[in-house]
Amino acid sequence: MSAARELVVLGTASQVPTRHRHHNGYVLRWDGEALLFDPGEGTQRQMLLAGVSAHDLTRICVTHFHGDHSLGLAGVIQRIHLDQVPHPVVVHYPAGGQSYFDRLRHATAHRRTARLVPEPVATDGGPQPSPPAYRLSARPLSHSVETVGYRLVEPDGRRMLPERLAHHGIHGPDVGELQRRGSLRGVRLADVSVPRPGQRFAFIMDTRLCDAAFALAEGCDMAVIESTFLDADAALAREHGHLTAGQAARVAAESGVRHLVLTHFSQRYTDPDAFAVEAREAGFEGELTVAEDLGRVPFPRRRAT
């Protein structure tokens, strides 16, 4: 699996798939990990077409248990067992949907060979168990059923400067020792490195405008935000617990998002360009992607120090 950071789009339709849009599904490749978000119906096949294997998956994050966000979970779980994935795969989902998770996990008979680790998200969200390389958190959103959004934050670090290390005679195991201790033989870490800002990612599905959406997106390098409706149907969006393209763009603009990915489109719309137009009209000036099935969206370069 590539160590690059990118978003792999498996599907972009909302409740009803179309001839051109498959049900939801997104894979965030993050160094040596692959996080699968909201596996809708048929995700296993879309993974095949996108070049994502069950062995790649390290974590699955479900926002809620509407079918277009979770019906593919049964197939993905069974594929993980069929392929005898050797590492644990952690699964996050709203705790109130435990019965739905249990039904999907045990939907049909299959041989269990892998280790699946359920980690339900409590009602108040909060930090989720995650490796030191990043911090995963969740917040409850405003939809018609219990729903959470996810936020991944990489800690700030420092980038070592080879020429300065060489100048001070620091090499080999001493580099790691300097990083751990902060100083070595009179050489400070700050003398041979520069700050390296951590990167941030948000995944915000089915929700009305709410404070949590802004909090999840705050300062993100990339945010995937649903835009089920266009602004002309804002009343319908609110009734069903969704965002319009303009509202999603407002969340991104006010939260300082660098790259906004719009997705989860209603079948009533046939012109994807309309979502981009409304996002720009709403004031979003950063990088913008209207997601397409099987598209790949590179993660932005790190912010300048």
Side-chain angles (χ1 to χ4, degrees), residues 164-184:
R164 294 191 189 177
L165 288 168
H167 174 75
H168 289 283
I170 306 293
H171 53 83
D174 286 348
V175 176
E177 185 71 13
L178 174 59
Q179 289 175 312
R180 288 188 294 272
R181 294 174 49 184
S183 65
L184 182 68

Side-chain angles (χ1 to χ4, degrees), residues 205-257:
M205 283 292 123
D206 299 22
T207 183
R208 303 173 183 88
L209 276 179
C210 62
D211 291 343
F214 290 90
L216 288 165
E218 180 64 32
C220 279
D221 297 273
M222 178 184 288
V224 179
I225 306 182
E226 68 117 322
S227 55
T228 309
F229 294 95
L230 293 175
D231 290 344
D233 295 313
L236 197 59
R238 178 166 182 78
E239 177 185 351
H240 293 283
H242 287 291
L243 295 173
T244 68
Q247 290 169 337
R250 175 187 159 194
V251 170
E254 295 185 15
S255 303
V257 170

